[in-house]
């Protein structure tokens, strides 16, 4: 039996176009400074869509944004936009530089208005209020990020706890309080929303 020369044998199927999914971010050994961290982005090691932040010199991968989280951030942005248009600049999910080795990405930040519209990432002294929205990251936000915000002198920080349906408010006060550890030495209040 001779093979038919008109239709060549195919040993494999045609490949269908598939979306290429990036693998998880490879571990990056720090500590890094903010300048080095930004250079990682310029070199393409960290991409624009990578959900990472710099905390204590370490590149920390952030959780994906879920539906409830995104909805809450949108509602906060809308509320502040209506109420504070002339009082503050509203910044959503952008980095703030809090020292040589810290550049977190809070969910919402209210900034002191400036004519130059912040051509560089805001610094601690530019921040009026920082808000972290958490559905799966409450412990991390409470135990790592809120104390960081307190250490650099941000006057007010909120932790919106979506699981418990409450907001923890941390403000600068000098009197000792019971929630000292949770807010980095600041007064804490719990509010339902």
């Amino acid at each position: 039996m001779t093979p038919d020369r008109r239709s060549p044998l195919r040993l494999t199927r045609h490949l269908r176009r598939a979306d290429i999914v990036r693998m998880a971010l490879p571990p990056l050994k720090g500590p890094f400074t903010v300048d080095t961290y930004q250079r990682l982005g310029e070199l393409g090691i960290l991409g624009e869509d990578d959900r990472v932040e710099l905390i204590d010199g370490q590149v920390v991968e952030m959780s994906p944004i879920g539906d409830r989280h995104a909805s809450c951030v949108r509602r906060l942005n809308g509320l502040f936009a209506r109420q504070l248009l002339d009082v503050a600049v509203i910044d959503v999910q952008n980095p703030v530089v809090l020292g040589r080795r810290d550049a977190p990405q809070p969910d919402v930040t209210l900034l002191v208005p400036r004519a130059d519209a912040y051509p560089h990432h805001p610094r601690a002294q530019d921040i009026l209020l920082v808000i972290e929205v958490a559905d799966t990251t409450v412990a991390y936000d409470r135990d790592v990020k809120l104390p960081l915000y307190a250490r650099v002198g941000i006057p007010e920080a909120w932790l919106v706890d979506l699981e418990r349906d409450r907001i923890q408010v941390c403000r600068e006060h000098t009197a000792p309080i019971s929630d000292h550890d949770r807010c980095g030495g600041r007064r804490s209040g719990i509010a339902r929303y």
Side-chain angles (χ1 to χ4, degrees):
M1 192 167 175
T2 51
D4 184 1
R5 302 253 184 237
R6 288 174 282 151
S7 62
L9 293 174
R10 287 191 183 165
L11 300 176
T12 60
R13 296 182 300 192
H14 283 288
L15 293 177
R16 293 185 182 161
R17 186 168 192 283
D19 291 327
I20 297 173
V21 178
R22 290 186 60 178
M23 298 306 286
L25 184 68
L28 298 172
K29 297 193 188 265
F32 296 103
T33 64
V34 171
D35 292 336
T36 307
Y37 172 67
Q38 290 176 341
R39 185 83 177 119
L40 293 173
E42 292 167 7
L43 294 171
I45 296 167
L46 295 175
E48 207 173 88
D49 295 328
D50 286 329
R51 295 228 348 111
V52 295
E53 60 188 350
L54 186 68
I55 304 291
D56 195 27
Q58 300 301 317
V59 177
V60 178
E61 196 161 10
M62 297 164 51
S63 297
I65 297 173
D67 291 336
R68 289 180 66 202
H69 184 281
S71 175
C72 182
V73 170
R74 279 187 216 102
R75 286 184 290 150
L76 287 167
N77 186 31
L79 172 72
F80 290 136
R82 287 188 301 277
Q83 302 297 321
L84 302 175
L85 186 62
D86 298 325
V87 179
V89 174
I90 304 155
D91 209 14
V92 176
Q93 297 174 334
N94 285 318
V96 294
V97 175
L98 303 182
R100 286 191 68 241
R101 300 185 326 151
D102 292 297
Q105 290 190 32
D107 291 304
V108 179
T109 309
L110 298 185
L111 303 169
V112 174
R114 284 187 6 192
D116 68 0
Y118 292 96
H120 302 286
H121 295 309
R123 305 305 195 248
Q125 65 270 17
D126 300 318
I127 300 171
L128 301 168
L129 168 67
V130 64
I131 302 172
E132 293 292 347
V133 176
D135 44 5
T136 61
T137 61
V138 172
Y140 173 73
D141 290 338
R142 182 191 62 226
D143 299 338
V144 175
K145 293 180 88 175
L146 289 183
L148 170 62
Y149 299 143
R151 276 194 311 273
V152 298
I154 294 173
E156 188 163 340
W158 297 359
L159 174 58
V160 179
D161 182 344
L162 295 175
E163 282 299 311
R164 292 191 181 104
D165 232 16
R166 66 183 188 181
I167 300 173
Q168 182 175 355
V169 177
C170 301
R171 292 189 181 111
E172 203 166 1
H173 288 278
T174 55
I177 55 150
S178 60
D179 277 342
H180 183 273
D181 293 333
R182 290 192 175 183
C183 289
R186 295 176 178 203
R187 183 179 168 96
S188 172
I190 305 295
R192 290 216 170 264
Y193 65 97

